[in-house]
Amino acid sequence: MAILGSMFALLLAAFMAASPFIATAQPKPPYSTQIAIVASAITVALAGLGIWTAIGVFRLRSWARTSILIFAGFLGAWAAITLLVTMVMPLPPEITGGTRQTFHSITALGFGI
C-alpha cells in the first residue's frame, strides 16, 4: 500500500506543480506559484520516503518499522494541514452554497480517509 500511495502522491505532486500554469479568468493570489512548488516538493519528498520505507519493509530491515511510523506521522500531519488550508481557501463567488458544502464535505472525507 505504501508504494501505491506513494505513486499516487507523485502524480498529485505533478498536478500541484502544473497548477500555477493553468490559465484562469481570475487573478491568482500572491505567492500561489511558490506555494504550489513548495507543496509539490514536500509531496515528492514524502512519496520518496514512502517508497524507501516500503522497500525496507519488503526486505525485512529493522529500521523499516520505525520509518513506517514516521512516514505515517508525516502523512497524517500533511493531510491535516492540507485539509485545513482547503477548508479556508476562498472559492469563486459564483459557486452556490450547496456546491460549497458538497466541496467541503468531499474534501473532508477524502483527507479523512
Side-chain angles (χ1 to χ4, degrees), residues 22-84:
I22 297 173
T24 60
Q26 298 177 352
K28 293 181 182 165
Y31 305 112
S32 63
T33 302
Q34 292 88 346
I35 291 170
I37 298 299
V38 168
S40 178
I42 291 171
T43 305
V44 167
L46 289 174
L49 178 63
I51 292 170
W52 178 62
T53 299
I55 291 170
V57 168
F58 288 144
R59 292 182 177 178
L60 300 175
R61 303 287 188 221
S62 61
W63 56 263
R65 281 184 246 140
T66 305
S67 182
I68 200 79
L69 293 174
I70 294 170
F71 175 62
F74 278 143
L75 285 181
W78 187 242
I81 291 168
T82 307
L83 174 63
L84 292 174

